[in-house]
Amino acid sequence: DTGVSQNPRHKITKRGQNVTFRCDPISEHNRLYWYRQTLGQGPEFLTYFQNEAQLEKSRLLSDRFSAERPKGSFSTLEIQRTEQGDSAMYLCASSLGDSRGYTFGSGTRLTVV
Amino acid sequence: GEDVEQSLFLSVREGDSSVINCTYTDSSSTYLYWYKQEPGAGLQLLTYIFSNMDMKQDQRLTVLLNKKDKHLSLRIADTQTGDSAIYFCAESKRDQAGTALIFGKGTTLSVSS
């Protein structure tokens, strides 16, 4: 297992376009998390899944954002009608839901122009 | 307050010890974590401590926890240039492991030779 994989690594899009990111967690991890990180800030929680169930969503996750984990394995994060303020690094992490913390992917850097 | 707070910058010389401090917010947080982020990379879990402990040592890393003051510190002994990175303190959002983590803004450690 090579860890948490995120694709693409970089995405440049025009304002108003839709974008979708993919995360492949560590295979035996039942929990999957999405975070957003902007320059000079720590990661901010967006949402998390236990298996295929989305258990919690942050108020940061506006109606333009949607996340899915249809089979309890990989997850997608879609942003509709992107805005410049959506430019950030989107980080995915997975865990076993215990004290050992998360394993993060390398992130997808989104630039909205 | 609502924020996990850290000093923003720390500069040390190679071979010295580094101490990175953090103040967290939720006295019911059961687990506290230290993550490391190198440029362009995701976050790497360094260590974590359970709230009923006041110290944990792992090779060059020592974590001290003062639960009364909600203060967490990370000491890196014999700091190397490869330790240059951003270090994030994080607390579990609720009184259980595996839930959303709240991160500080990160401390940039610069190690000079």
Side-chain angles (χ1 to χ4, degrees), chain A residues 31 33 35 56 99-100 102, chain B residues 31 35 45 93 98-99 101:
Chain A
R31 293 193 180 215
Y33 309 81
Y35 278 75
E56 188 169 351
S99 64
R100 286 171 283 181
Y102 306 166
Chain B
Y31 296 93
Y35 281 83
L45 177 65
K93 187 179 178 188
T99 60
L101 297 185

Side-chain angles (χ1 to χ4, degrees), chain A residues 54-72:
Chain A
Q54 188 172 18
L55 295 187
E56 188 169 351
K57 292 195 289 187
S58 161
R59 64 182 182 277
L60 294 176
L61 212 68
S62 76
D63 291 345
R64 296 184 297 106
F65 288 70
S66 61
E68 293 182 345
R69 194 183 183 197
K71 298 180 181 177

Side-chain angles (χ1 to χ4, degrees), chain A residues 9 31 33 35 37 40-43 45 48 56 89 91 95 97-102 104-106, chain B residues 31 33 35 37 40-43 45 48 88 93-94 96-106:
Chain A
R9 289 295 306 274
R31 293 193 180 215
Y33 309 81
Y35 278 75
Q37 186 179 23
Q41 301 294 317
F45 170 74
Y48 92 92
E56 188 169 351
M89 175 77 85
L91 294 165
S95 79
D98 61 10
S99 64
R100 286 171 283 181
Y102 306 166
F104 277 88
S106 297
Chain B
Y31 296 93
Y33 301 86
Y35 281 83
Q37 187 176 37
L43 280 75
L45 177 65
Y48 66 92
F88 292 94
K93 187 179 178 188
R94 287 191 295 270
Q96 56 184 299
T99 60
L101 297 185
I102 307 300
F103 288 84
K105 287 183 167 58

